[in-house]
Amino acid sequence: MHDRFALPEWGQLAATDDATLPLLATALLIARDEYPQLDAAQYDATVQAHADHLREQVDQVEPWPQKMAAINRHLFDELGYAGDSEHYYDPRNSYINEVFERRRGNPISLALVQIEVARRLGVPLDGVSFPGHFLVRLPVDDGVLVMDPFNRGRPLDEDELRQRARPHLNGEAPDDRALFQILNPASHRAILMRVLRNLHGVYSERDDWERASRSADRILRLSPDNGDALRDRGLAYLKLGYKQGARADLARYLQLNPDAQDSGPLRERLVELSSCASRPS
């Protein structure tokens, strides 16, 4: 079974709906950019081995939280998956193959491991694009159980969730309605795009503009009219001296976002690029 595990093609992803966009396979596709010899089937088999080890134990209990507790215990206590607090911004924490190899990751990559293992055991775990750190959620009788994959799957209560959200909401704690919206399940596309945004941020901080442009480009393969990614790729192209690509991306960004806060400086930059292009060499 595992030797037939295949990765999608980048050109197929924009037309693939969220319901059928493969989470693990596309995360491995992202990793293959950096690790071209990556054996995707090996990591699919790793996930399956984790699930197979847990299956009998998980099947013996009924409530979802007890099943999830067994999964978390195996992943974090027995196998040693953990949040990489010491080197949080190491790009390896965003590449899922490295997470499987090193048993270290950031919140979203560890959530991806949790989600893949849980779902293979019939446990309906979803991701949550929470501001700041990515979280996971599990349906329970009276609502949802929200957990922090970066801290060994620790459950979070409403008060802690409100406090965690506050710095990202101008210091205001979300009310019940806003918190409920924040805790909506993240689509596979949203999860993968957040992985790529993290990589873009890491590489931009390192002035690695080739990889930064690649990360933005991959977001655009998932969502072709994503304004932030068009801007980010265009600015990275500028750093790389690829003026034609920068001009096209920034023009498209401004077309889609004419009233963006950064529209003024970018329009000036676009005029400069256009004038450079029109000058005789």
Side-chain angles (χ1 to χ4, degrees):
M1 179 177 67
H2 304 301
D3 60 355
R4 293 196 297 273
F5 183 77
L7 300 187
E9 298 292 335
W10 281 112
Q12 302 171 345
L13 297 179
T16 303
D17 63 48
D18 286 347
T20 56
L21 185 67
L23 184 58
L24 176 63
T26 309
L28 287 166
L29 184 65
I30 292 168
R32 194 174 65 179
D33 281 336
E34 189 67 17
Y35 304 89
Q37 304 305 314
L38 173 151
D39 180 359
Q42 170 189 339
Y43 300 107
D44 175 62
T46 297
V47 174
Q48 193 61 44
H50 293 348
D52 289 344
H53 177 87
L54 281 159
R55 192 169 307 279
E56 182 177 354
Q57 181 183 1
V58 167
D59 286 348
Q60 287 176 351
V61 294
E62 286 297 327
W64 296 127
Q66 289 185 32
K67 291 176 183 286
M68 199 64 227
I71 294 168
N72 286 340
R73 191 161 51 246
H74 182 57
L75 291 177
F76 298 115
D77 296 344
E78 297 170 10
L79 294 178
Y81 285 95
D84 190 351
S85 301
E86 187 174 355
H87 304 289
Y88 188 86
Y89 295 105
D90 188 326
R92 292 180 297 175
N93 290 328
S94 289
Y95 290 120
I96 194 64
N97 61 316
E98 286 282 3
V99 176
F100 286 126
E101 296 287 351
R102 300 168 58 241
R103 306 277 168 95
R104 292 291 180 274
N106 57 27
I108 195 165
S109 63
L110 293 169
L112 202 152
V113 174
Q114 276 184 298
I115 289 167
E116 283 292 322
V117 172
R119 289 181 179 175
R120 294 189 190 202
L121 293 164
V123 178
L125 191 67
D126 282 313
V128 176
S129 285
F130 202 82
H133 281 189
F134 197 84
L135 303 173
V136 294
R137 53 168 277 170
L138 184 71
V140 293
D141 290 341
D142 54 349
V144 292
L145 172 64
V146 181
M147 293 164 283
D148 182 355
F150 196 71
N151 289 292
R152 305 161 69 92
R154 182 172 69 83
L156 305 174
D157 62 24
E158 283 189 30
D159 288 341
E160 184 169 357
L161 289 168
R162 293 183 203 280
Q163 292 307 313
R164 285 189 176 210
R166 185 190 290 271
H168 306 279
L169 300 173
N170 298 318
E172 297 290 331
D175 59 20
D176 288 349
R177 182 183 176 193
L179 184 61
F180 182 78
Q181 290 179 332
I182 292 171
L183 294 176
N184 278 337
S187 69
H188 289 183
R189 194 177 308 273
I191 293 172
L192 295 160
M193 288 171 63
R194 186 158 170 168
V195 169
L196 288 161
R197 282 196 300 271
N198 287 344
L199 283 168
H200 174 269
V202 167
Y203 288 133
S204 297
E205 285 293 319
R206 298 180 175 204
D207 293 331
D208 187 342
W209 297 111
E210 182 177 346
R211 288 183 170 87
S213 68
R214 183 182 72 194
S215 301
D217 176 77
R218 295 324 197 187
I219 293 174
L220 291 166
R221 301 297 185 100
L222 287 160
S223 180
D225 285 332
N226 183 275
D228 288 348
L230 281 164
R231 179 200 59 209
D232 293 343
R233 188 176 68 175
L235 293 174
Y237 280 166
L238 268 182
K239 296 284 188 178
L240 293 168
Y242 178 31
K243 294 181 180 179
Q244 180 180 354
R247 190 165 60 247
D249 280 352
L250 295 179
R252 179 65 176 152
Y253 169 73
L254 290 170
Q255 180 185 16
L256 293 169
N257 303 275
D259 299 321
Q261 288 187 342
D262 55 1
S263 60
L266 289 179
R267 282 198 175 88
E268 293 176 8
R269 183 66 62 89
L270 199 56
V271 169
E272 294 172 9
L273 286 170
S274 298
S275 63
C276 289
S278 63
R279 289 175 195 156
S281 56

